[in-house]
Amino acid sequence: VKTIPLAMESASYDIRIGVSLLDSIETESLIAGAERIGLIVSRTVFGLHRGRLERFMRKAGKYELIEMDDGEENKNYRYAERFFEWMLARGFTRKSVIFAAGGGVVGDFAGYCAALFMRGVPVVHIPTTLLAMVDSSIGGKVAVNISAGKNIVGAFYQPCAVVEDISFLSTLPDDELKNGIAETVKHAFLGEQELLDLLLAHDLHSIRNEPVMEELIFRSAGYKAGVVGRDEREAGLRAILNFGHTAGHAIESVMEYRGISHGEAVAVGLRAAMAISRRMGYLDDETMRRFDDCIERYGLAGKRIGLDPSKVISHMKYDKKNFDGRIQFVLLKAIGSPAYNQPVDEALLADVIAGLV
Ligand SMILES: NC(=O)c1ccc[n+]([C@@H]2O[C@H](COP(=O)([O-])OP(=O)(O)OC[C@H]3O[C@@H](n4cnc5c(N)ncnc54)[C@H](O)[C@@H]3O)[C@@H](O)[C@H]2O)c1
């Protein structure tokens, strides 16, 4: 079992990573005297891993179970209201603990509900996708979607622990694995040399080997934890985690989240940020070659999508992370040297995007 301690202003907690971790981990410190215990779990994950989850929850004590329908469309207010009513009807108070098992949708939703119910109940994240293990369960961003956009309504609400059992990934389809790999590629180029070496030594098949996967998650989650530990509320540095997401989000939004996975969109976004960095004279050919190699190995290089570049650019202007409608990029000055809030010349941006979409 590997442990990443994360110390922030508002909370400190451990991210624990291991194979069959739910079987070996003790639950007493996770429960911490709570009078009511709840498990909110993705219906799909419960169907696939019921035995593992039930054994773990029985160790924790008597618990109430709620299965959540998967899908981004359920990360919303109405679902939250149903959840609050469910909790009240079962006598949950602030002296409770919620375990949230699933991908980023369940984690974001359960974290959001935990932040609001009676002004905050403890939540333990049990991420079950690679993306949730290396990204969404770490750092306390919780949110629901509204019709105007994704993750618009939310909070910073840190969990009391993150328990990452790699055994869940045995059932994760390759396309979902790739969504997580795209975030690990991002972390590798932002600043994790060993992670980059690991990615370049494997492919979509061999990376699933459990000790390799454990190392991948440890390095990638460790990188994110290091960043959010230094800038919990995104006053500055945390913005580097938006690397590849400026164009990536715009592409998803133009395509109305259909026909392209998050990982593929982020991969195009990373290619755009790398190409701009190269054209601005920051990156050398060898760095570009390593990047191309990395995304090709994991089936993230993709084909042209056939979008109108000007639409992609206008969607970038609406990104909630931009100021005054000016497009801000995270660029790379070298592997491990990102710079955030970087304005990019419009003609250069148009040329790069036209070459990619
Ligand atoms: N809070 C943050 O900082 C942050 C960061 C990145 C992304 N996010 C959010 O995360 C969400 C995406 O998360 P995701 O990629 O995990 O998607 P997801 O939660 O939709 O899960 C993807 C699919 O995989 C299935 N699944 C989950 N675990 C499985 C397993 N072990 N075996 C088989 N199937 C499994 C789910 O049922 C679902 O169908 C988005 O809502 C995004 O906004 C949040």
Side-chain angles (χ1 to χ4, degrees):
V1 177
K2 291 185 152 79
T3 302
I4 301 166
L6 180 46
M8 279 171 295
E9 244 170 63
S10 75
S12 296
Y13 54 94
D14 281 344
I15 302 160
R16 270 169 279 181
I17 304 159
V19 176
S20 297
L21 182 58
L22 289 190
D23 287 330
S24 60
I25 199 168
E26 58 82 25
T27 51
E28 215 175 288
S29 64
L30 302 175
I31 304 301
E35 291 166 2
R36 281 269 185 288
I37 303 172
L39 170 65
I40 174 165
V41 56
S42 138
R43 202 178 291 287
T44 311
V45 171
F46 198 59
L48 292 166
H49 296 275
R50 185 177 186 138
R52 185 189 311 284
L53 283 161
E54 283 182 344
R55 280 197 304 280
F56 169 73
M57 291 308 293
R58 274 200 297 269
K59 269 198 289 183
K62 186 174 174 300
Y63 66 97
E64 302 286 345
L65 169 79
I66 186 166
E67 291 177 58
M68 177 177 177
D69 292 318
D70 283 293
E72 196 65 43
E73 66 280 8
N74 293 314
K75 216 175 101 176
N76 66 36
Y77 282 143
R78 290 173 301 286
Y79 223 93
E81 189 173 4
R82 277 164 57 191
F83 186 54
F84 295 143
E85 280 162 4
W86 177 91
M87 288 175 81
L88 272 181
R90 279 156 189 79
F92 279 82
T93 64
R94 213 183 286 165
K95 287 188 181 158
S96 310
V97 60
I98 300 295
F99 290 84
V105 164
V106 171
D108 277 15
F109 174 82
Y112 172 86
C113 292
L116 293 190
F117 187 77
M118 302 209 172
R119 300 192 182 82
V121 292
V123 62
V124 175
H125 286 307
I126 305 176
T128 65
T129 62
L130 181 60
L131 181 135
M133 290 181 187
V134 300
D135 191 355
S136 63
S137 68
I138 302 164
K141 280 192 180 178
V142 299
V144 291
N145 305 323
I146 56 172
S147 53
K150 277 182 61 172
N151 298 327
I152 298 284
V153 181
F156 286 95
Y157 189 69
Q158 300 298 338
C160 49
V162 182
V163 178
E164 310 207 339
D165 185 336
I166 288 165
S167 310
F168 281 112
L169 300 180
S170 63
T171 56
L172 193 71
D174 276 352
D175 282 348
E176 295 297 342
L177 193 76
K178 282 159 68 174
N179 290 337
I181 295 280
E183 304 300 339
T184 67
V185 172
K186 176 186 85 175
H187 291 159
F189 278 86
L190 284 174
E192 239 293 347
Q193 187 61 49
E194 281 90 356
L195 176 58
L196 181 53
D197 294 342
L198 187 76
L199 283 165
L200 288 171
H202 290 277
D203 59 24
L204 198 58
H205 178 70
S206 68
I207 202 85
R208 280 186 179 271
N209 176 296
E210 283 179 338
V212 178
M213 185 55 84
E214 187 175 272
E215 187 65 19
L216 178 88
I217 295 171
F218 177 65
R219 297 251 165 228
S220 188
Y223 180 77
K224 176 154 183 189
V227 173
V228 299
R230 278 179 283 161
D231 179 19
E232 180 178 358
R233 291 190 160 246
E234 204 164 320
L237 180 74
R238 189 170 175 164
I240 61 174
L241 298 174
N242 212 30
F243 183 47
H245 286 61
T246 313
H249 282 152
I251 289 166
E252 285 183 294
S253 163
V254 173
M255 295 181 74
E256 297 179 351
Y257 300 91
R258 282 189 290 266
I260 190 162
S261 69
H262 180 65
E264 286 164 343
V266 168
V268 181
L270 287 171
R271 286 165 73 197
M274 292 292 289
I276 293 166
S277 304
R278 171 87 182 106
R279 299 259 299 259
M280 288 174 74
Y282 300 141
L283 302 179
D284 57 18
D285 287 343
E286 175 56 14
T287 303
M288 299 307 282
R289 193 199 57 74
R290 297 186 92 197
F291 174 75
D292 289 342
D293 184 6
C294 204
I295 57 170
E296 267 158 33
R297 277 167 185 275
Y298 296 95
L300 286 165
K303 292 190 250 4
R304 297 285 289 262
I305 323 163
L307 296 181
D308 175 353
S310 63
K311 273 198 187 159
V312 176
I313 290 170
S314 68
H315 272 75
M316 281 187 214
K317 292 188 176 154
Y318 297 126
D319 192 309
K320 64 179 182 291
K321 291 183 177 148
N322 286 323
F323 314 100
D324 319 326
R326 274 177 70 222
I327 301 171
Q328 306 277 343
F329 259 84
V330 180
L331 298 177
L332 218 55
K333 303 225 160 164
I335 297 178
S337 298
Y340 57 92
N341 287 356
Q342 299 293 300
V344 172
D345 175 70
E346 293 237 358
L348 169 60
L349 177 63
D351 199 41
V352 167
I353 296 296
L356 287 173
V357 300

